[in-house]
Amino acid sequence: MKNIKDRIGVLQDDITVLEVDAIVNAANTSLLGGGGVDGAIHEAAGPALLVECRTLGGCPVGEAKITKGYLLPAKHIIHTVGPVWRDGEHGETELLRNAYSNSLKLAKKHGIQTLAFPNISTGVYRFPKRRAAKLAIETVRTFLEKNSTPKKVLFVCYDGENYGIYQEILNANL
Ligand code: AR6
């Protein structure tokens, strides 16, 4: 198996354009759409996505559910819900870790080999970016060390600040 460094990538892009087996959506518990990356994914995937999402019965914070990708180049969408940042004393760290690890488990279960994550919770949910990036990288690395699927995980940053943080941490730690 390739080493972990070769199995983790970072790029600055719009996640909806990626040709991967699955992209992850930073959704809310209703799974019925919203703003940010969630809005962009629903817009690019088309209205059939919402029809499937209505059958899922929502998703608790930290858990994940899968749908087809519809009009996206990605075959599947893994919808997860990150925590809203309050003060760090309300289980935010554990819940964000769960959002990443449950997305990875679901990807493995469905044989997804290439998986792209947005920077979950770091937009309107206000999770501190550096803290979220460290947690995301650590959770993905730990999972990949123990599992051969997915083969490759991409961290897709939209804003330059997150992109800089991810590059810095990955260059320092890997
Ligand atoms: N591709 C990749 N990343 C993106 C894109 C895109 N097209 N658009 C935004 N981002 P947010 P949250 C980045 O607010 O904080 C929604 O309304 C953005 O720069 O989308 O988890 C949901 O329905 C940021 O780094 O998600 C929920 O109600 C990251 O995606 C709520 O927002 C996450 O920002 C979830 O909040």
Side-chain angles (χ1 to χ4, degrees):
M1 204 199 297
K2 279 183 169 184
N3 71 40
I4 301 300
K5 187 183 168 99
D6 297 328
R7 293 172 64 202
I8 296 178
V10 59
L11 66 162
Q12 188 173 12
D13 210 340
D14 173 353
I15 203 167
T16 65
V17 305
L18 299 183
E19 290 182 35
V20 288
D21 289 345
I23 63 169
V24 176
N25 182 13
N28 59 64
T29 55
S30 78
L31 295 187
L32 298 180
V37 69
D38 193 7
I41 288 172
H42 274 269
E43 191 172 318
L49 174 60
L50 185 57
V51 174
E52 184 174 358
C53 284
R54 285 193 204 284
T55 70
L56 299 177
C59 182
V61 180
E63 296 190 16
K65 297 201 176 174
I66 191 165
T67 66
K68 290 189 273 189
Y70 298 98
L71 301 178
L72 293 177
K75 295 187 200 82
H76 293 92
I77 304 163
I78 291 177
H79 305 262
T80 191
V81 186
V84 177
W85 178 266
R86 290 164 72 184
D87 53 7
E89 303 288 325
H90 291 80
E92 294 95 329
T93 297
E94 193 59 29
L95 290 167
L96 187 60
R97 188 181 293 124
N98 291 348
Y100 279 94
S101 62
N102 285 322
S103 297
L104 289 159
K105 282 182 202 160
L106 196 55
K108 180 185 174 186
K109 187 175 159 196
H110 288 265
I112 284 159
Q113 297 297 359
T114 50
L115 179 66
F117 280 103
N119 307 136
I120 302 167
S121 283
T122 68
V124 299
Y125 282 1
R126 302 183 315 273
F127 203 106
K129 289 181 181 177
R130 183 170 292 274
R131 200 163 163 158
K134 281 186 185 160
L135 195 61
I137 291 166
E138 178 192 295
T139 305
V140 166
R141 189 187 292 144
T142 302
F143 189 90
L144 294 184
E145 276 163 4
K146 294 181 188 145
N147 297 277
S148 55
T149 299
K151 283 196 188 106
K152 180 104 187 182
V153 171
L154 298 173
F155 290 109
V156 185
C157 305
Y158 199 58
D159 57 277
E161 190 186 353
N162 263 318
Y163 185 54
I165 290 170
Y166 271 81
Q167 281 186 311
E168 191 189 305
I169 297 172
L170 286 167
N171 288 336
N173 291 356
L174 281 176

